[in-house]
Amino acid sequence: MGEKVDMGCFFHSMGYKMGPFLARYQQIRTFLFAIDEINRNPDLLPNITLGYRVYDSCGDPRLAIGSALQILSGPGNVVPNYSCRGKGEIAGFIGDQSSLTSLPIAQLLGVYGYSQISYGATDPTLSDREMFPYYFSAGLSDDIQHIAVAELVEQLGWTWVIIVATDNESGEKQSQNLQNEISKHGACVDIIIFITEDDDTNKRHFERIRISTAEVIVLCGTPSDSVLLSLCTRESLIHEKTLVITLSWDMENCFKCEDTEWPNQEKTLCIERQIEFLSYAGDPLTLIFIISSVILFIIAAVILGIFISFRDTPVVRANNHTLSFILLVSIKLSFLSVFLFLGRPVDITCMLRQTSFGITFSIAVSCVLAKTLMVSIAFKATKPGSPWRKWVGVKLANGIVFIFSLIQSLISVIWLVIAPPFVEQNTHSEPGKIIIQCNEGSVVAFYIVLSYMGLLASVSFIVAFLARSLPDSFNEAKYITFSMLLFCSVWITMIPAYLSTKGKYMVAVEIFAIISSSCGLLFCIFLPKCYI
């Protein structure tokens, strides 16, 4: 392939930001220097001459794609699947340090089966080997970099070397390791000079280098070393034979972001994480839940008022009006419990949210179970001499509600005593976010509460299903069957959805289950009676 360097955008930009662009220019010159040295040495690649084409994408994906097509098709051509480039085969592509341009090039080259190496592209999508089988991210360990530099010194025939590095822990470590590798390859290191912030000291170092006959290796590391960066980017600053080497030991100068911060895409600074919870301020999900809960609470209150007004009518008395009142109150409390899940969580709301909805739902389902049993017993007791007559009455129904609700209350109290829920900041589930959430304290206790509630609902469904064939005058069992079927379906589908979501959407799934199942109890059981 012929030699061509297209740097128009690069030189156009140099007048505005000298440092970064000169550093990239130095990288390109190092790349061209390496190719030239390889071509001059017949022992490295016998009978093979390396060529290159360098294009400046200016950070624009469209220019990057256009440049890649010109390399594939030949100069002045951007016609896919046609090659007018003449002699020479394409060995591969070296991308720049931006994911913005590396990603489309990797997609294009994957079609043609050409490899692409990129330095610094951080998009996690590029790590997918199925999507980008020909993409490789170059990141060399310190040892490999030192060995490569030492081999280059040996190939250049250098025997007397001066190493220049920064006067810090990283510079000392890297220069010492490089000295060891150079010595293994037969060259001697005269001295190691450390550049400081003191101009007078540096001038003495430069004068010593100037009068020396040794070749010079300048180790350029992180751009935060301003003095060394200036040394690396100024041409022929200290010696005619100066090899500027950029080693990637930035890991030595990295620092960990605080828990409330996250590195930006370029990994150059820490930025504040986004805080996530079901906020009252500007979150549409929260607004939907508030409106739904308030409207349904009002509907439940109206239905309760209707039942109180008509409490002496046969349709209310036949189905145990006391149980109906308790059931309606528990449904209203279920709608209100939604507000414990909204807003920024605190310890008290975390302790109350699961236990309150668990107890209110257990009371509601216990009422449904008691109503269903009372309907079945009432019909069995109509037969002459039936032993079921002694079970007819409000004492059995009230006892069922009290006992089954007490069991759930005891479970909740034990949970709060042994491992109470508490608020926590989750910084690991979603990158760049802090999820303010409730830690349940004991996952086992949480699922015991749900399982007990599910057990009551299942028993209620089975009893109501068996009593569905009773005469139409006492058809509440049919409505209870449907309401319990809906109730069980909601919570069975809620569990996998709850486990597969994160952050505020996990809370939203539970709120949806609470509202949906409460609606099932309210409308399926009470709307037909309101109509009557």
Side-chain angles (χ1 to χ4, degrees):
M1 185 185 300
E3 299 176 358
K4 180 179 179 180
V5 180
D6 178 8
M7 300 291 290
C9 184
F10 167 81
F11 286 110
H12 176 73
S13 304
M14 284 181 59
Y16 300 97
K17 294 182 180 179
M18 295 293 291
F21 288 100
L22 283 173
R24 293 184 182 182
Y25 179 68
Q26 176 252 322
Q27 295 171 358
I28 295 173
R29 296 307 307 174
T30 303
F31 168 72
L32 301 181
F33 170 79
I35 292 179
D36 187 53
E37 289 297 319
I38 292 173
N39 288 336
R40 288 183 181 182
N41 193 328
D43 297 327
L44 294 178
L45 292 176
N47 301 320
I48 296 177
T49 301
L50 294 180
Y52 55 84
R53 289 188 179 276
V54 180
Y55 290 89
D56 189 357
S57 67
C58 301
D60 189 336
R62 295 170 298 179
L63 290 178
I65 289 292
S67 300
L69 288 174
Q70 285 197 51
I71 295 174
L72 291 170
S73 303
N77 297 290
V78 288
V79 182
N81 298 326
Y82 284 88
S83 175
C84 303
R85 60 178 181 266
K87 298 181 179 180
E89 296 295 330
I90 298 176
F93 290 74
I94 298 179
D96 57 21
Q97 297 179 346
S98 169
S99 300
L100 183 65
T101 54
S102 294
L103 188 61
I105 291 178
Q107 292 172 330
L108 174 67
L109 298 181
V111 177
Y112 294 96
Y114 285 107
S115 299
Q116 183 204 12
I117 301 174
S118 179
Y119 293 81
T122 58
D123 194 314
T125 308
L126 292 168
S127 302
D128 191 331
R129 305 313 303 166
E130 294 184 1
M131 293 179 61
F132 303 104
Y134 302 99
Y135 173 84
F136 302 94
S137 178
L140 302 179
S141 66
D142 289 346
D143 293 339
I144 295 177
Q145 294 183 89
H146 295 147
I147 294 172
V149 173
E151 291 179 349
L152 180 59
V153 168
E154 182 180 7
Q155 294 296 330
L156 294 175
W158 292 0
T159 57
W160 200 246
V161 175
I162 295 175
I163 298 177
V164 180
T166 51
D167 187 18
N168 54 31
E169 184 179 352
S170 298
E172 292 177 6
K173 177 183 176 181
Q174 300 298 328
S175 58
Q176 187 62 51
N177 292 340
L178 180 59
Q179 179 184 15
N180 296 336
E181 287 298 332
I182 289 176
S183 300
K184 293 178 183 179
H185 285 73
C188 295
V189 176
D190 181 12
I191 54 174
I192 298 176
I193 293 178
F194 296 105
I195 302 300
T196 67
E197 296 289 342
D198 183 45
D199 292 336
D200 294 334
T201 302
N202 292 337
K203 287 180 180 178
R204 290 195 297 269
H205 288 329
F206 295 155
E207 181 61 23
R208 183 175 181 181
I209 294 172
R210 189 184 64 79
I211 63 177
S212 174
T213 58
E215 288 79 6
V216 180
I217 297 178
V218 180
L219 296 182
C220 293
T222 172
S224 61
D225 300 322
S226 57
V227 177
L228 193 60
L229 179 62
S230 174
L231 178 65
C232 292
T233 55
R234 290 171 61 182
E235 297 181 6
S236 304
L237 180 65
I238 53 179
H239 202 276
E240 292 181 356
K241 291 186 178 180
T242 300
L243 178 60
V244 179
I245 303 295
T246 301
L247 295 182
S248 301
W249 72 72
D250 292 339
M251 285 297 292
E252 299 291 336
N253 298 283
C254 287
F255 59 92
K256 184 180 180 181
C257 294
E258 299 292 335
D259 290 340
T260 58
E261 296 177 330
W262 186 257
N264 63 348
Q265 187 174 1
E266 292 75 22
K267 311 294 183 183
T268 56
L269 54 89
C270 295
I271 57 178
E272 288 293 325
R273 291 175 183 254
Q274 177 185 351
I275 297 178
E276 182 180 273
F277 58 91
L278 283 175
S279 173
Y280 283 108
D283 194 319
L285 271 178
T286 303
L287 182 61
I288 292 173
F289 289 140
I290 291 175
I291 295 174
S292 301
S293 299
V294 170
I295 293 175
L296 291 170
F297 175 83
I298 294 173
I299 293 174
V302 171
I303 294 176
L304 177 60
I306 293 173
F307 267 66
I308 293 175
S309 300
F310 294 90
R311 60 184 177 276
D312 295 326
T313 59
V315 69
V316 175
R317 296 181 61 186
N319 299 121
N320 195 326
H321 63 278
T322 303
L323 289 181
S324 297
F325 296 158
I326 296 175
L327 178 55
L328 282 168
V329 171
S330 63
I331 290 175
K332 289 171 60 179
L333 292 176
S334 298
F335 289 132
L336 290 181
S337 69
V338 168
F339 289 91
L340 293 173
F341 293 82
L342 302 177
R344 189 186 184 103
V346 294
D347 287 338
I348 186 64
T349 57
C350 289
M351 289 189 287
L352 291 177
R353 58 166 57 172
Q354 303 294 357
T355 54
S356 62
F357 108 84
I359 292 173
T360 54
F361 265 65
S362 295
I363 294 174
V365 179
S366 298
C367 290
V368 173
L369 176 59
K371 288 168 73 69
T372 309
L373 287 174
M374 294 309 299
V375 170
S376 300
I377 292 173
F379 275 91
K380 292 181 182 294
T382 57
K383 298 178 182 179
S386 173
W388 292 98
R389 286 179 177 270
K390 62 181 179 179
W391 297 106
V392 176
V394 296
K395 290 184 178 180
L396 176 62
N398 295 339
I400 291 174
V401 174
F402 176 77
I403 292 174
F404 289 137
S405 301
L406 180 62
I407 293 174
Q408 184 71 290
S409 300
L410 290 175
I411 295 173
S412 300
V413 170
I414 294 172
W415 180 9
L416 293 178
V417 171
I418 296 178
F422 57 92
V423 67
E424 68 174 1
Q425 295 186 357
N426 185 345
T427 59
H428 306 291
S429 293
E430 295 190 39
K433 290 184 179 180
I434 298 178
I435 300 174
I436 310 297
Q437 64 183 23
C438 288
N439 186 311
E440 305 304 345
S442 173
V443 178
V444 175
F446 172 67
Y447 283 107
I448 288 176
V449 169
L450 288 183
S451 300
Y452 180 76
M453 192 172 64
L455 176 63
L456 290 180
S458 300
V459 173
S460 299
F461 170 74
I462 293 172
V463 174
F465 180 79
L466 295 176
R468 73 191 187 283
S469 58
L470 295 176
D472 289 341
S473 299
F474 298 88
N475 63 355
E476 189 177 34
K478 295 181 179 179
Y479 299 128
I480 291 176
T481 302
F482 187 73
S483 65
M484 287 295 99
L485 179 62
L486 178 61
F487 186 94
C488 294
S489 300
V490 167
W491 285 98
I492 289 174
T493 55
M494 170 266 181
I495 293 176
Y498 182 82
L499 295 175
S500 62
T501 52
K502 299 177 181 178
K504 67 178 184 181
Y505 300 104
M506 176 184 288
V507 181
V509 168
E510 187 170 0
I511 294 175
F512 177 79
I514 293 173
I515 293 176
S516 301
S517 53
S518 300
C519 286
L521 294 175
L522 180 63
F523 295 135
C524 293
I525 295 177
F526 291 102
L527 277 187
K529 294 184 178 62
C530 288
Y531 175 76
I532 294 174

